[in-house]
Amino acid sequence: MPYEVTGTTLPDMTHLPPPAEELRLLDAELRQLDSRRTQLLARRAWLVATLQQARQQPQQAWAQARTQPPPVAWSRPEAAAPSVQNVLLVLGGVLLTLAAAVFTLVSWGHMGITGRALVLGAVTLAALAGPALLLKRGLRSTAESVAGLGLALTVLDAYALHAAALAGTDGTGYAAAAAAVLAGIWSAYGLLPATAALRLPLPCALVAAQFPLLLWALSADAGPYVISAALLVTAGLDTVAALRVRTGSLRITAMVGAYSTGALGVLTAGWLSLAADTPSAAARAGALLLLAATIAVGAAWRGAGSLSGSDSGTAPGSASSTAAPWQGPGDKHALGLAIGSGLLAVGAFGGTARSWLPEMWTVPACLVCGIVLSAAVRAGRLPDAVRLGFAWASGAVQALALLWTLPVVAVAVLGPAGWIGRVWSGAPSDARAAVTVEAPWPPDAAAVPVVLLAVAAVVALVSRAEQWRSRARTGALGLVWATALTLPAVAGIPYVAGMAVLGVVTAAALYAGRATVSAARLTALLLSLTTSVSLALASLASQTATLVVLSVLTALFASASWRTSLASVTAPAALVYAAALASATGAAVDWPPARTALLVLAVPVAAALLAPRLGAQRATVPVEAAGAATGLLAVGLAVSDPPLLALVLASCGVIAAGTALRPDRRLVGYAATALFVLAAWVRLAAWEVGTPEAYTLPVTVPALLVGALRRRRDRQVSSWTAYGPGLAATLLPSLVAAWGDPQWTRPLLLGTAALLVTLLGARHRLQAPLVLGGSVLALVTLHELAPYVVQVTGALPRWAPPALAGLLLLALGATYEQRIRDVRRVREVLGRMN
């Protein structure tokens, strides 16, 4: 290929060096290869000699190989030649640019006008003409560096022109004009045939083109609307450049400029829309946002590749359609741009509507715009990326609208909890007062039901895909529930009517729980429970309302429990509301809490009777847990009255014993035993019985009987398991009492009992009775003989106990030393035998 055609026909290919330069490079490479080959041959000869010596004298050869110094490795250069070249060229260009700047700024005043013009003109022309000559010689990198110097000199020329001849003009306006002129000059310079191979001029021209409109607006003292428009128009021009150019560096520069100036313009327009206090100002800000949205959607449309050659009005086979195929930023950029354009459009129309609508309808207006945007998704000619972006933008608007409704929903759901501290203080005037006991009512709440219903309709109608249909219906169900929950408070209907609405919502949610889809059923159950709790809390304002609401909720959840799929949730809820109804009934008839506990006991009885008859295995455990919880509530209510507490504990023991009759609930028998023991202890405490044996013997006798029966059935059971707990239950507390009892009756009886237990353990060879009985007998004996031991100890001299202890230690030490000596002798004998 001729050398002269590479600069014009192959601008994007790497330029081949001249023949002389290429020959020099090849010679240098061959010299390096010869040097490397010589080193490798020397190393090979040394290895061959080493192996031959190793065959004759292995050890000597190995020592010589270890002491032989390794040959000098061929050192490779740490930096590649192109990298060194680029560093030198860039450094040289920077130094020349700095020198030119110093000359222009410092030494400019020492020369006349002719000398200044000649020097700057000559240097600039030389710097701009040099790259063409360098490109012909194949020095591309050097040409780029010199071209950068020339571009920098044109900026200095512009500054020098303003300082020398146009000093009286406005600096900002001159900068705008200079930026436009420089952008044109650099573009023309980069498009010349002789310099078309340079990569630097066109990106620099595009950078300079970012400033003319903005600087012009600033020089004209334009308002923020014009400044925002200038930024957006600049972003639009950058977008067109990014969509049309093919060079990678130029496209990246255009994209950076489009995103940066566009972001500044959008932020300015958004601030203007929020600060607008008149419809005209809001309309102007909305127009700016629509301009930004148009730019974004146009870029997204082209980025998605939806327009073919025929769509753009060009025949597929024409030269213009095949010369330069368009390359967009890709689907990711298209999706993001489509989302941004949708949000900008909603902000434009919503901000305009905010200026002439009441404040509470601002969010609904934006929501309407978002819904209209979702309707645009149905358009058939939209690319997939744009359609998906509009869908995401619409979903984001609807999510923000729902976020705006959360304070009202939270007050409607959690607000009735304030009646816990004001039980039966009087019915409020309306439903809003029923939920704002201690929480303020959020402003602009009248539009909340409208927003909730609109989003619910969109969710239910738009999601037609099979995989999203069930989730959409579940979401719509939750939104309809939130609407029904907030509507009474928003409308301010009477208190009784509001409670009736909540009851209907609870029943409807329970009916919706019959759905076959597990997610929808679980959602409906959670909504019904939440509504019922809110209703029960709101009913605490009035005694009549409390009794009626708790009765209705108990019946409602109990009736829903006949369905197997709901029983695991509704049956425990019915038991809880029944316990609350029993407590409220006792309080309504002025019964003390201890007597009310007898009413609450009906709930665990019902739970114990219904648990095995529910039919659903997974519902049994929740029902039994609810029954146990209500039993604890009854015990807590009866704590203040010991006789009634004993009765309640005994009743709970009967319920637990009845549950233990079921084959799968045998372990509940231990709980029944514990409850019976506690009931007996409470009764004894109520009778003011202080003898510990009265508390322990009722435990010991049944425990020993159970242990004996177990030992009879299984002889492998340990005596500690069979008799240990029963014996310890009486012997240990009695031993503690005997040590502090000055009388002789308890120690005598306890010692006798311990002796009998010890004899029985020895007779039947049982470890637990033998150890426990013998230990207690020894301790009781020690307690009885302690005074005499003290007397004997007092009769001895003070030195006698230490002396006895010393003799004992000496004897132990001598024995220990004798054993050590025996071990040493054995070791010595074994050593001699070896």
Side-chain angles (χ1 to χ4, degrees):
M1 179 181 295
Y3 169 70
E4 290 78 12
V5 301
T6 58
T8 56
T9 59
L10 301 175
D12 293 335
M13 295 181 62
T14 303
H15 189 74
L16 295 176
E21 180 67 19
E22 187 176 2
L23 181 60
R24 185 184 65 81
L25 295 176
L26 291 176
D27 291 340
E29 291 292 337
L30 289 174
R31 283 195 297 271
Q32 291 180 357
L33 291 175
D34 291 339
S35 175
R36 180 61 175 166
R37 184 173 183 275
T38 302
Q39 292 178 0
L40 293 176
L41 289 175
R43 177 65 176 174
R44 181 179 182 280
W46 178 82
L47 291 175
V48 170
T50 302
L51 291 176
Q52 291 177 355
Q53 293 178 4
R55 293 190 183 125
Q56 298 174 1
Q57 298 178 357
Q59 296 181 354
Q60 182 179 1
W62 176 249
Q64 292 179 357
R66 293 185 60 185
T67 58
Q68 179 73 21
V72 180
W74 179 60
S75 59
R76 301 183 60 184
E78 296 182 357
S83 300
V84 175
Q85 166 191 300
N86 293 334
V87 170
L88 294 177
L89 291 175
V90 172
L91 183 59
V94 171
L95 292 177
L96 288 175
T97 304
L98 292 176
V102 170
F103 170 77
T104 305
L105 298 176
V106 178
S107 302
W108 182 256
H110 300 290
M111 301 179 64
I113 186 64
T114 305
R116 301 171 188 174
L118 290 176
V119 171
L120 278 179
V123 174
T124 303
L125 290 177
L128 293 177
L133 300 176
L134 293 172
L135 287 175
K136 289 182 179 181
R137 293 182 175 274
L139 303 177
R140 183 187 182 91
S141 300
T142 307
E144 294 285 354
S145 300
V146 177
L149 175 61
L151 299 180
L153 288 175
T154 56
V155 178
L156 294 176
D157 290 339
Y159 169 76
L161 180 62
H162 180 267
L166 302 175
T169 59
D170 179 48
T172 307
Y174 178 80
V181 172
L182 289 176
I185 293 175
W186 293 349
S187 299
Y189 180 73
L191 295 175
L192 290 175
T195 56
L198 296 175
R199 300 178 181 177
L200 191 60
L202 291 180
C204 291
L206 192 58
V207 172
Q210 308 300 312
F211 302 100
L213 291 179
L214 177 61
L215 294 176
W216 170 80
L218 294 176
S219 65
D221 292 333
Y225 292 95
V226 179
I227 294 175
S228 177
L231 290 171
L232 292 176
V233 170
T234 304
L237 296 176
D238 290 334
T239 303
V240 174
L243 293 172
R244 292 297 181 183
V245 297
R246 295 183 302 167
T247 307
S249 59
L250 191 58
R251 183 187 303 142
I252 292 175
T253 305
M255 290 176 61
V256 171
Y259 280 120
S260 58
T261 55
L264 291 176
V266 167
L267 291 176
T268 306
W271 174 76
L272 292 173
S273 178
L274 292 176
D277 53 356
T278 60
S280 61
R284 285 181 290 171
L288 293 174
L289 291 176
L290 281 180
L291 175 60
T294 304
I295 296 172
V297 74
W301 194 301
R302 295 299 301 269
S306 62
L307 294 179
S308 62
S310 59
D311 292 335
S312 60
T314 306
S318 62
S320 60
S321 64
T322 59
W326 173 85
Q327 296 179 5
D331 289 340
K332 293 183 179 180
H333 285 278
L335 178 61
L337 290 171
I339 294 174
S341 64
L343 295 177
L344 289 174
V346 172
F349 289 107
T352 304
R354 184 180 63 86
S355 62
W356 54 272
L357 283 177
E359 186 177 358
M360 68 177 180
W361 296 107
T362 301
V363 175
C366 295
L367 178 61
V368 170
C369 297
I371 294 174
V372 172
L373 184 64
S374 66
V377 177
R378 304 289 180 181
R381 293 182 59 83
L382 289 177
D384 293 338
V386 177
R387 184 183 294 110
L388 183 59
F390 283 173
W392 277 102
S394 177
V397 172
Q398 296 177 48
L400 292 175
L402 292 179
L403 187 63
W404 176 74
T405 64
L406 280 183
V408 179
V409 177
V411 171
V413 174
L414 304 177
W419 291 107
I420 295 177
R422 306 179 184 182
V423 178
W424 295 353
S425 59
S429 58
D430 54 17
R432 182 178 299 179
V435 298
T436 56
V437 184
E438 296 180 356
W441 184 247
D444 304 329
V448 169
V450 178
V451 171
L452 292 173
L453 281 179
V455 177
V458 172
V459 170
L461 297 177
V462 172
S463 300
R464 297 180 179 179
E466 186 65 28
Q467 64 271 21
W468 293 99
R469 187 174 301 171
S470 60
R471 300 179 183 178
R473 290 178 179 177
T474 302
L477 175 63
L479 293 174
V480 171
W481 166 81
T483 304
L485 203 64
T486 57
L487 190 59
V490 171
I493 63 177
Y495 172 67
V496 177
M499 294 181 54
V501 171
L502 293 181
V504 172
V505 171
T506 303
L510 283 176
Y511 182 78
R514 303 172 61 183
T516 56
V517 182
S518 59
R521 180 170 61 250
L522 180 60
T523 303
L525 289 176
L526 291 177
L527 296 181
S528 64
L529 289 176
T530 304
T531 311
S532 65
V533 171
S534 180
L535 175 60
L537 293 175
S539 68
L540 295 178
S542 172
Q543 176 179 327
T544 304
T546 301
L547 296 176
V548 173
V549 166
L550 291 178
S551 301
V552 171
L553 290 178
T554 301
L556 189 62
F557 281 94
S559 61
S561 301
W562 293 110
R563 294 190 61 87
T564 306
S565 59
L566 306 180
S568 59
V569 177
T570 57
L575 294 175
V576 171
Y577 286 124
L581 176 61
S583 302
T585 303
V589 296
D590 293 332
W591 279 6
R595 185 178 298 179
T596 304
L598 298 177
L599 288 177
V600 177
L601 279 178
V603 178
V605 171
L609 294 176
L610 293 176
R613 295 175 173 81
L614 289 175
Q617 185 65 27
R618 60 181 182 179
T620 303
V621 175
V623 168
E624 291 176 344
T630 54
L632 291 177
L633 174 62
V635 172
L637 292 174
V639 167
S640 59
D641 192 343
L644 282 178
L645 177 60
L647 179 60
V648 170
L649 289 172
S651 302
C652 292
V654 172
I655 297 171
T659 304
L661 295 177
R662 293 161 50 190
D664 55 342
R665 292 292 184 269
R666 297 298 188 191
L667 296 178
V668 184
Y670 294 102
T673 303
L675 289 171
F676 285 133
V677 171
L678 288 176
W681 287 356
V682 171
R683 173 56 64 182
L684 291 174
W687 288 338
E688 298 181 354
V689 176
T691 304
E693 287 76 12
Y695 297 89
T696 58
L697 286 177
V699 178
T700 297
V701 173
L704 293 177
L705 292 177
V706 171
L709 292 176
R710 188 172 181 181
R711 285 273 299 177
R712 178 176 297 181
R713 295 179 180 178
D714 187 5
R715 290 292 180 180
Q716 301 298 325
V717 176
S718 172
S719 62
W720 288 103
T721 304
Y723 305 117
L727 293 175
T730 295
L731 293 178
L732 297 182
S734 299
L735 178 62
V736 174
W739 273 70
D741 192 354
Q743 303 297 326
W744 60 271
T745 308
R746 178 177 279 110
L748 178 61
L749 295 177
L750 179 60
T752 304
L755 178 60
L756 293 176
V757 169
T758 304
L759 294 176
L760 289 175
R763 171 67 177 80
H764 297 284
R765 297 180 181 179
L766 298 176
Q767 187 178 20
L770 184 63
V771 172
L772 289 176
S775 300
V776 172
L777 180 60
L779 291 174
V780 170
T781 304
L782 179 62
H783 174 266
E784 294 301 316
L785 297 178
Y788 303 101
V789 173
V790 171
Q791 292 178 4
V792 173
T793 305
L796 291 175
R798 291 183 178 273
W799 53 267
L804 293 176
L807 291 175
L808 178 62
L809 293 176
L810 287 176
L812 292 176
T815 305
Y816 186 72
E817 183 180 5
Q818 181 66 34
R819 291 181 179 179
I820 292 177
R821 186 180 301 169
D822 295 339
V823 171
R824 288 178 179 175
R825 289 177 179 176
V826 172
R827 187 175 59 185
E828 292 175 357
V829 171
L830 292 176
R832 287 195 299 269
M833 292 173 64
N834 188 23

